Structure formats: C-alpha cells, structure tokens
Amino acid sequence: MNSKLIAPSILAADFANLQRDIEMVNNSNADWFHIDIMDGVFVPNISFGMPVLKAISKHAKKTIDVHLMIIDPDRYIKTFAELGSDILTVHYEACTHLHRTLQTIKSQDMKAGVALNPHTNVSLLEDTINDIDLVCLMSVNPGFGGQSFIESTFNKIKQLKDLITRKGASTKIQIDGGVTNKNAKQLVDAGADVLVAGSYVFKSTNQLETIKDLRAIANS
Ligand code: DX5
Ligand code: ZN
C-alpha cells in the first residue's frame, strides 16, 4: 500500500526565519511543502505571493504543493509553474471552467488539484474526477491556520473515496485544516492519502518529532 503523506503548511512557519523552517522540513520525515496563497478576495486574508514562493522554491528540496485561494486562478497558472510548483490546487468555487483550468495546469507539467470548501458537495466532481490528481477537502473554512477541524469532513472523505473507486480514478485525497495526532489515524482510515498540518507542526516544541510522530500515526 502507498505511504500516507504529511505536508506541513508553511502558513504557520515563522516568516522571519523562513529559511530555517524550510530546512527543518527538508530534514524531516515530511513529504511535501504545502504553500497557501490567499488573495484577500476569495478568502478574507492575504498570505504571501510570488516573490516569497520564489524564495521558498530556492531552498525547498521536497514536492511543492501550492494551494491557491484566489479568484480566477487561470491568470497565474503559468507563473506558478515557473516558480517551481509541482502540484497546483485551485478551488472548485473559484473556477468557471474547471475542466479547462485542469488541462491548463497539466499542460504546464504540474499535477492538478481541486479544493472543496466545507459547504461544497463531493458529487460536483462526478464529471471531472478522472482529470484530477488531488482533491483537497477543506476541513476548516479556508483563510486562516489554527482553526478547529470540522467533523463532517469524515463523511466527505468516504463519499469522495466511493466516487474515486466507482470512476476508476487514481486521485489522491488531501485533508487541509485542523489536522493533529488526534484525528490523523481516523482520517487515514476513512480514506485520506495526504494530511496537511500547519499549527500542529510549527507551534510544537519539537517540530521534527511532531512530523515524525504524525507520519507514523498516519501509516500505522
Ligand atoms: C487554511 C489553509 C491551511 C492552513 C492549515 O486556509 O489552507 O493549509 O494552513 O492550518 P492548520 O493546520 O493550522 O489548520
Ligand atoms: Zn491549504
């Protein structure tokens, strides 16, 4: 069976010590860097943009998983490819022509991800699931780190897993928001493949150990 993956969210890093925190992730058991880009329009917060991602890419030695919380993401697909993104995730709610957006992402040699807000039903991906490499189920309302996990996510994981199996797709399921050692095992048992963890990792006293434990729990 494939390993379950851990993706620390850089949103919770210390931006005044960004290189130090990136090196920590490089030296850890983590699998991906999760990078949250917010525009202050799609979500009520602004995180960081292209120059910061460029700086991160220079040091990051693992897969760069970019989560775009921006309206009309098609405008920047090529730019994010040039900045070193390996996976580019757009929000279902932000795309008028999702199928076209997914093809454009893939034409830039990136994996294509789609994120669903907590209110967005999994069944809306019925006609696109075979074109999606990663579905990011938001287990908090996007915009901020450190929020509590929304329990109804478990049901959505099961629905999504059923859809993927029924359609014969190879889509990975990612969970984003409020992930800790307390819910990691249950998330993986429900069908999750990738766990994003921001505050749980970066606010802990021993970040390397926290990542190691989380990964071990997810793969137990
Ligand atoms: C929220 C972001 C998440 C966030 C998760 O909008 O998409 O990636 O950083 O943070 P935690 O793990 O603290 O909930
Ligand atoms: Zn995210």
Side-chain angles (χ1 to χ4, degrees), residues 21 28 37 44 105 107 128 154 170 181 183:
D21 285 0
S28 77
I37 307 284
I105 294 173
S107 75
T128 40
F154 286 113
S170 50
N181 62 341
N183 54 21

Side-chain angles (χ1 to χ4, degrees), residues 145-164:
Q147 305 180 79
S148 356
F149 182 85
I150 298 173
E151 293 292 324
S152 53
T153 308
F154 286 113
N155 242 339
K156 287 179 83 169
I157 301 176
K158 289 190 185 118
Q159 288 167 6
L160 179 56
K161 190 81 196 167
D162 284 351
L163 175 62
I164 292 168

